[in-house]
Amino acid sequence: MAAKAKPESLAYVAAFDPDRSKPDAIAVVDVDPASATYSQIVGQVDMPNTGDELHHFGWNACSSCLCPNAPHPHMERRYLVVPGLRSSRLHIVDTKPDPRKPSIVRVIEPEEVAEKAGYTRLHTTHCGPEGIYVNALGNAEGKAPGGIFLLDPESFDVLGQWEMDRGPQQLAYDFWWHLGHDTMITSEWGTPDTFENGLVPEVLLGSKYGRRLHFWDLHKRKHIQEIDFGEEHQLVFELRPAHDPTKAYGFVGCVISLKDLSASIWTWYRDGDKWAVKKVIEIPAEPADPSLLPPVLQGFKAVAPLVTDIDLSMDDRFLYVSCWGTGDMIQYDVSDPFAPKETGRVRIGGIVSRAGHPGAKAAALNGGPQMVEISRDGRRVYFTNSLYGAIDPQFYPEGIDGWMVKLDVGENGGIAFDDKFFVDWPKGHRPHQVRLEGGDCSSDSYCYP
């Protein structure tokens, strides 16, 4: 039903000021090819404060909140729940009266979140069976453990910490679930002091960033299993479970290998009465002239792919992999989740390649494919080029000039730029997460067969 829904005509994009001198915003981009303002920013709602660093926001309602054991039958996909990663502030944005002019209807201050849930540095939101889930990378003091808390799905009041028994879990990053298997999965980054001023080389080379997946009993909120990817692997980031509710597998990206700077994609899956993982894709680093590299990579004489986001189409057929370092967006056919096949690749930006775009005025672009979002029917893919304010200049020392682009997807795979869609982002803001009107492939995970 989602795939057959009417195509999106608007995209909502988190835009942040890396200098933290003016408010961040949610921008509204026209994505209707028949519109006179196609590929333009047609609306914007500014946050009431500066320094939020808007990051991964989400819809208040999705298929998961219709779960039979915790139903919310009257939910309407109307509100965006927008966290500030730096400020720990939550904004509730109403898109309904005029979708091009969203408005802020509630702001939850960081003190309230810390007092009621014990967390700070809010990162990702998902709607789900018990309400709206928000994860956080630090506790009230900004240290470990990070974790998840719940909001009431109608009043947006902070209900409290989600975990009843966290076991060995300390670091947090992304989270998702398999509702039919009553399982939550969480991944890892690091504590705020190890990323808020940029990645710390000693922490990275000491293998002290996240490298584990955690599996939980979703209903009992209890940690049941941990899988360590090993010291070589650092920054186990974005989780994308299969949308098919009968399938117990999903994908996760690992940003970097300390052995050779490669990036990797792993499949998690049910193996007997336990969960297991298998590395299914390895993307190698590319040799490069050290004089073209930022200081952080010069000693390696290579460009790391830096897989920072992935996304899975609604039919579980195509996985999109953002290589923020090399500038590649790669499409894989993952019909067999243990044997992906590359079916498409484009390049834009990149630390060394600085590849252009047919719709851009500048011949050379910087940044690279980062936050990626897929339309519900799988025919359109949107992405932006900024990772995080303090990390962008470590890999792109001149600063990032923001852009947003769109790919058209072939019937049986293959991807190509839409020449007419290039948003040259206004200076002073950088674009990050994209959400599509009506929903998208990383808003929804399915409830029951």
Side-chain angles (χ1 to χ4, degrees):
M1 289 170 69
K4 292 175 184 174
K6 157 168 117 56
E8 67 286 350
S9 60
L10 298 173
Y12 297 95
V13 184
F16 71 96
D17 174 15
D19 299 325
R20 302 199 291 279
S21 59
K22 70 177 187 179
D24 296 352
I26 295 293
V28 186
V29 177
D30 187 337
V31 296
D32 178 0
S35 169
T37 52
Y38 182 55
S39 181
Q40 295 177 32
I41 296 172
V42 294
Q44 181 168 302
V45 57
D46 293 328
M47 299 301 107
N49 299 278
T50 59
D52 285 309
E53 183 117 20
L54 300 187
H55 210 61
H56 297 177
F57 66 109
W59 288 106
N60 67 307
C62 60
S63 60
S64 297
C65 71
L66 304 177
C67 182
N69 65 356
H72 305 283
H74 305 297
M75 297 302 287
E76 179 182 18
R77 186 174 278 154
R78 169 176 180 170
Y79 299 98
L80 293 168
V81 182
V82 184
L85 178 51
R86 190 80 180 218
S87 67
S88 309
R89 188 178 285 115
L90 261 176
H91 311 84
I92 309 301
V93 175
D94 188 355
T95 68
K96 186 172 183 183
D98 183 346
R100 291 179 174 228
K101 295 180 182 173
S103 60
I104 297 171
V105 293
R106 182 164 180 188
V107 177
I108 302 167
E109 294 295 338
E111 294 80 9
E112 183 177 348
V113 177
E115 179 190 350
K116 293 182 177 176
Y119 286 129
T120 60
R121 294 4 182 253
L122 315 185
H123 185 264
T124 294
T125 72
H126 289 310
C127 37
E130 296 179 273
I132 294 168
Y133 298 63
V134 184
N135 79 329
L137 303 192
N139 64 13
E141 292 75 44
K143 308 291 185 189
I148 296 168
F149 65 95
L150 286 167
L151 299 179
D152 182 282
E154 292 174 351
S155 69
F156 302 107
D157 291 337
V158 178
L159 298 178
Q161 177 181 306
W162 177 78
E163 300 86 359
M164 297 294 285
D165 176 0
R166 75 172 63 253
Q169 179 266 329
Q170 291 291 300
L171 301 180
Y173 183 74
D174 197 13
F175 67 101
W176 255 124
W177 43 64
H178 290 286
L179 292 176
H181 296 270
D182 202 24
T183 299
M184 169 88 82
I185 305 105
T186 66
S187 62
E188 298 187 340
W189 185 3
T191 50
D193 59 331
T194 64
F195 61 77
E196 284 191 337
N197 295 309
L199 293 176
V200 181
E202 296 77 17
V203 176
L204 182 66
L205 297 174
S207 197
K208 298 283 179 23
Y209 282 115
R211 64 182 209 224
R212 297 171 178 86
L213 284 186
H214 300 275
F215 296 84
W216 310 71
D217 184 310
L218 183 62
H219 194 65
K220 294 179 180 174
R221 309 186 188 184
K222 178 182 179 182
H223 188 284
I224 52 176
Q225 190 181 345
E226 173 187 273
I227 298 179
D228 189 334
F229 283 36
E231 289 193 3
E232 167 196 333
H233 297 99
Q234 285 286 273
L235 305 166
V236 176
F237 267 11
E238 300 290 345
L239 300 164
R240 298 290 178 256
H243 294 94
D244 183 335
T246 68
K247 300 291 194 296
Y249 72 84
F251 302 94
V252 63
C254 177
V255 178
I256 197 162
S257 160
L258 299 179
K259 184 179 73 177
D260 55 12
L261 299 189
S262 65
S264 50
I265 306 295
W266 302 61
T267 300
W268 76 76
Y269 60 99
R270 197 74 182 154
D271 184 15
D273 60 352
K274 292 277 191 182
W275 294 90
V277 300
K278 180 184 178 185
K279 185 192 289 189
V280 294
I281 298 170
E282 192 163 275
I283 303 170
E286 297 181 2
D289 179 345
S291 69
L292 301 175
L293 295 170
V296 71
L297 292 175
Q298 282 173 354
F300 296 100
K301 300 181 182 177
V303 181
L306 301 174
V307 166
T308 49
D309 195 22
I310 61 175
D311 205 4
L312 183 62
S313 63
M314 197 73 77
D315 58 5
D316 295 330
R317 182 174 176 191
F318 293 114
L319 185 74
Y320 294 86
V321 176
S322 297
C323 300
W324 188 64
T326 53
D328 290 327
M329 174 64 76
I330 311 175
Q331 179 198 56
Y332 294 93
D333 185 327
V334 290
S335 303
D336 178 347
F338 299 101
K341 297 182 179 70
E342 183 178 326
T343 46
R345 184 185 292 238
V346 296
R347 177 166 282 196
I348 180 171
I351 291 169
V352 171
S353 58
R354 305 297 166 113
H357 181 279
K361 293 189 181 77
L365 300 174
N366 69 5
Q370 218 283 294
M371 295 311 298
V372 54
E373 194 51 79
I374 310 167
S375 65
R376 290 170 293 178
D377 62 6
R379 301 307 299 269
R380 296 165 301 286
V381 177
Y382 303 87
F383 59 92
T384 59
N385 69 329
S386 172
L387 176 62
Y388 180 70
I391 294 175
D392 287 349
Q394 290 184 288
F395 295 92
Y396 294 92
E398 73 281 13
I400 281 181
D401 298 316
W403 43 256
M404 175 181 173
V405 298
K406 173 193 164 200
L407 303 177
D408 292 318
V409 180
E411 190 76 52
N412 291 301
I415 46 178
F417 286 115
D418 176 346
D419 294 1
K420 297 183 176 64
F421 193 100
F422 182 87
V423 185
D424 188 356
W425 212 265
K427 300 293 179 280
H429 273 158
R430 290 181 192 161
H432 194 64
Q433 175 93 37
V434 178
R435 286 286 176 217
L436 302 180
E437 176 192 32
D440 41 65
C441 289
S442 64
S443 295
D444 279 314
S445 79
Y446 286 85
C447 328
Y448 49 91

